[in-house]
Every structure is written in structure tokens, then in C-alpha cells.
Amino acid sequence: MQLELVAVTKDEDMNVIIGQTHFIKSVEDIYEAVVNAVPGVKFGLAFNEASGVCLVRCAGTDDHLIALARDNALAIGAGHIFILLLGNAYPINVLNAIKTVPEVCNIFAATANPLKVVVADDGTDRGILGVIDGEKPKGVESDGDAADRKALLRQFGYKF
């Protein structure tokens, strides 16, 4: 078995969700979950089949984001995974809706950070072992850092 580290390619301001799902119906169900969660959302979605014709199935509302999702799904090359690139929304806006899709088994990452996917390849099949999301901790927050965090959440409207 070989391990490979695949960097996710995305624009700096994009958010990405990578997960595992188990059925071709996932493409349409994840699409519906996302558009129902955020009206007017711009996104690209790709799903890798794991048997049969083993195609990358794509959908979305933005051609650039669809192409990026497709290219990342091909680069990762693992079966039964999906990658969702968000253009004008955040994972917090769609994550719970995606988790309720019956075919979705697991979420590996939901982030705007640079992201790398750890892939195992046995010569025939490929699978995601995990992700590398973000930098190492540089310390522990102080009282001032905690106050800044709380103020930022209120500025964004996530807390009152």
C-alpha cells in the first residue's frame, strides 16, 4: 500500500467540505440539501463512484466551482467521496443539511484553510485515511484572545 498526500486546489476565499458517501443518488441529494440551505448559493460538487463505470459525477450552480470540484475529485481518486466547494457560503450554513442526507457516511473536513488529503492506494483501490487541515497550535488563548474570539462571533452574527 502506498500513501499519497493530495493538496486540494481552491481559490483562497473558498470553503471546502470533503466527505464519504455511498450511492450515485448522493449527487442530487447533496445538491438539493445545499440549495435548500442557502438560496442563491454558488457551489461545485463532485462525487467519485466506487464501482461499475467509476465516473466522477458533478453538479452545482457555478461552472468554475464545478470544474474545481471535478479536478480535485479526480486528483484524490478515492471511491465514494464527495467534494463540495462553496463560493458565497460557509460550511456552517450547509453542514447540518449535508449530514442529514441519508447516503452521507462521514465528513472529513469543512474548512477555508489550505487542505491536504491523506490517500491510501493498494494498486487497485484508493481511500481517504484523513485530512491535514491547518497549522499547528502556536499557544493557548489568553483572556484577551478569548474576548477577541467572542467579539468576532458577535460581529459575524453567530452570537448575540
Side-chain angles (χ1 to χ4, degrees), residues 18 20 24 30 35 52 62 72 98 100 110-111 113 120-121 143 155:
I18 296 178
Q20 187 173 27
I24 193 172
I30 293 171
V35 297
D62 181 277
N72 279 293
I98 292 169
T100 66
T111 187
N113 292 334
D121 187 325
D143 290 342
Q155 178 186 337

Side-chain angles (χ1 to χ4, degrees), residues 93-117:
N93 303 129
V94 299
L95 201 51
N96 280 338
I98 292 169
K99 289 177 186 177
T100 66
V101 172
E103 301 88 20
V104 172
C105 306
N106 189 29
I107 302 292
F108 292 108
T111 187
N113 292 334
L115 184 65
K116 295 176 189 137
V117 180

Side-chain angles (χ1 to χ4, degrees), residues 17-159:
I17 298 172
I18 296 178
Q20 187 173 27
T21 187
H22 70 88
F23 189 44
I24 193 172
K25 185 174 168 289
S26 302
V27 177
E28 285 150 17
D29 289 355
I30 293 171
Y31 180 100
E32 290 171 3
V34 173
V35 297
N36 286 327
V38 182
V41 66
K42 293 182 181 180
F43 72 96
L45 170 66
F47 161 73
N48 290 353
E49 289 180 313
S51 61
V53 293
C54 292
L55 298 175
V56 177
R57 305 292 183 162
C58 303
T61 61
D62 181 277
D63 290 339
H64 174 64
L65 296 172
I66 295 168
L68 279 174
R70 177 201 63 220
D71 293 348
N72 279 293
L74 281 168
I76 294 167
H80 281 158
I81 63 104
F82 71 89
I83 182 164
L84 174 68
L85 289 168
L86 298 168
N88 64 342
Y90 300 101
I92 196 169
N93 303 129
V94 299
L95 201 51
N96 280 338
I98 292 169
K99 289 177 186 177
T100 66
V101 172
E103 301 88 20
V104 172
C105 306
N106 189 29
I107 302 292
F108 292 108
T111 187
N113 292 334
L115 184 65
K116 295 176 189 137
V117 180
V118 182
V119 178
D121 187 325
D122 71 0
T124 305
D125 304 311
R126 288 169 64 95
I128 294 177
L129 297 182
V131 297
I132 298 174
D133 177 8
E135 301 175 16
K136 297 177 187 179
K138 297 173 183 163
V140 177
E141 74 178 349
S142 66
D143 290 342
D145 295 322
D148 290 345
R149 170 178 44 86
K150 292 173 184 178
L152 184 64
L153 292 173
R154 281 149 185 78
Q155 178 186 337
F156 289 155
Y158 290 122
K159 297 287 182 173

